[in-house]
Amino acid sequence: MADPFEVRMRFTAQLQHLNASITSSQKAAHYALKYRDMDEDLHSCILEQLERNNMNNRANIMYFIEQFCEMATKEDHSPYVRMIQRDILRVVDAVAPADGSGAANVKHVRRVLNGLQNKEILSAATVAEIDAGLKERETHPAHLDLEAEEGPEGSGKSKGGTPRSSKGSGMRVDKRQIEQRIEEDRERNKRLRESMWTVSGDDGDEHGKFWDETSDIGDDDFLAAKEELMERTQMINAR
């Protein structure tokens, strides 16, 4: 029998090292499903890492949750799915906090929520209710300038010189995290473009149906990603 502490530590490490690739999410999901007898403990690991790590990692865990729920459903292990359903508001609050520090994550949260709705894991009513609360978070003044989170010269302090905490608007955003986020967003957008045009067979009706289902995250989403990429590149060059 596996040591519970070791299982927890290994799963935590996998969550901490998630990236934009599907492979990393699948690996972590397979591990959690392998030790499904510890489902409540491993679910608590997901919540803990969402609340302790930087905003890049939180976004990666958000995408992992969608992959995880899909795999858990296919393997007929509903407890994992039920716990995500139960704690989805806590998840969203961690990935895109109400203080606006995770404004850059709002569009990623929406993508995952829409994916969970399409997979019938979340109801349309639940998604609509959460989405209504996200509108203020993506325009919150606390996130108008990423460098404001670091304070002068990336010191990790506020403008008044007060050290920031490791949560909420005090999350330090350094150059490495910005560069990492740019690369991960580029990878996700590339994969999204590929999925939009990957259609089995030559059935025109099937293609039309597929396009209708994905159009909500099409051109506008790519434009927003491009604008965000330009803003972050300017921030890096200004440093």
Side-chain angles (χ1 to χ4, degrees):
M1 182 177 178
D3 176 59
F5 179 76
E6 182 179 357
V7 171
R8 182 183 177 90
M9 292 300 293
R10 289 190 176 185
F11 184 56
T12 295
Q14 290 180 343
L15 293 175
Q16 291 172 341
H17 291 89
L18 287 171
N19 54 47
S21 72
I22 294 178
T23 303
S24 67
S25 291
Q26 289 178 334
K27 181 179 179 181
H30 277 303
Y31 189 84
L33 287 166
K34 178 180 179 181
Y35 295 101
R36 63 188 67 189
D37 56 318
M38 296 175 55
D39 51 18
E40 290 188 11
D41 198 26
L42 295 184
H43 175 75
S44 72
C45 288
I46 296 174
L47 298 179
E48 287 175 7
Q49 293 310 304
L50 277 171
E51 294 170 348
R52 293 180 179 179
N53 283 284
N54 64 51
M55 288 299 167
N56 287 354
N57 186 257
R58 297 183 195 198
N60 290 333
I61 294 176
M62 189 73 194
Y63 281 102
F64 157 76
I65 285 173
E66 181 181 0
Q67 185 79 34
F68 184 35
C69 287
E70 182 177 11
M71 292 174 63
T73 300
K74 289 180 178 178
E75 295 201 17
D76 197 28
H77 190 67
S78 59
Y80 274 133
V81 177
R82 287 200 300 269
M83 285 186 280
I84 292 296
Q85 292 170 330
R86 180 194 68 198
D87 295 327
I88 191 61
L89 289 177
R90 183 175 173 183
V91 169
V92 171
D93 284 343
V95 182
D99 63 10
S101 60
N105 282 344
V106 170
K107 69 176 182 291
H108 298 296
V109 171
R110 284 197 174 110
R111 278 189 195 173
V112 173
L113 291 177
N114 288 334
L116 292 173
Q117 179 182 332
N118 291 337
K119 295 176 175 64
E120 299 183 348
I121 293 169
L122 294 179
S123 69
T126 296
V127 173
E129 181 180 353
I130 296 174
D131 185 66
L134 289 173
K135 292 180 180 178
E136 293 183 0
R137 302 186 186 190
E138 63 186 338
T139 56
H140 196 288
H143 199 78
L144 292 179
D145 186 349
L146 283 174
E147 291 188 7
E149 294 188 2
E150 295 184 85
E153 299 180 0
S155 62
K157 297 181 180 180
S158 65
K159 292 181 179 179
T162 304
R164 301 280 195 172
S165 67
S166 61
K167 291 186 178 182
S169 60
M171 186 66 65
R172 180 177 178 178
V173 180
D174 57 25
K175 181 177 179 179
R176 183 190 63 80
Q177 288 181 26
I178 294 173
E179 291 174 336
Q180 178 186 352
R181 182 56 171 270
I182 290 171
E183 289 302 317
E184 290 181 343
D185 283 354
R186 182 183 293 125
E187 174 64 25
R188 289 191 182 100
N189 285 328
K190 177 183 176 182
R191 193 165 67 242
L192 181 60
R193 286 195 299 270
E194 291 173 349
S195 68
M196 288 171 65
W197 294 107
T198 302
V199 182
S200 59
D202 299 321
D203 190 324
D205 291 338
E206 182 179 359
H207 177 274
K209 179 181 178 182
F210 188 87
W211 177 257
D212 289 340
E213 291 175 349
T214 58
S215 59
D216 288 341
I217 51 174
D219 294 341
D220 291 342
D221 206 53
F222 295 139
L223 179 59
K226 182 178 180 181
E227 291 174 349
E228 186 176 341
L229 172 60
M230 292 175 64
E231 291 173 1
R232 288 175 175 169
T233 302
Q234 290 173 358
M235 289 178 189
I236 293 172
N237 294 335
R239 288 171 182 254

